Amino acid sequence: MSIAGLTSTDQPTAIRAVFAANDVRALIANHLGVSVGRVTDEAHFTEDLGADWLDRVDLMIAVEDQSPAWKSPMTMLIG
């Protein structure tokens, strides 16, 4: 289904979700020094993007910084 196939009330939500996904892809690409095209839904952080454990932790923190309303379970545990 495309965004055009959604009702007019659902379209703004779908468009925001697409922009949010693209923002996260750009954040990941910039952090890891890879092209945005390599950051796909199927990409594996370690095998495909070359991220190690510290890169993954840094990315989690960077995503949290961009979206203060969302906190990971680990961050909630350590405060």
Side-chain angles (χ1 to χ4, degrees):
M1 176 182 286
S2 68
I3 290 175
L6 298 173
T7 65
S8 61
T9 56
D10 292 333
Q11 284 181 355
T13 302
I15 291 169
R16 279 194 301 275
V18 168
F19 283 129
N22 288 337
D23 289 344
V24 171
R25 284 186 179 94
L27 179 87
I28 292 167
N30 289 333
H31 185 79
L32 297 177
V34 300
S35 71
V36 176
R38 289 183 56 195
V39 183
T40 65
D41 291 344
E42 295 81 25
H44 188 273
F45 281 112
T46 302
E47 294 173 11
D48 300 322
L49 303 176
D52 63 14
W53 68 272
L54 187 55
D55 289 325
R56 294 190 307 267
V57 172
D58 287 342
L59 277 168
M60 183 176 60
I61 293 167
V63 169
E64 286 181 355
D65 288 345
Q66 295 297 313
S67 179
W70 182 83
K71 293 293 180 193
S72 72
M74 184 172 72
T75 302
M76 291 187 326
L77 286 175
I78 60 176

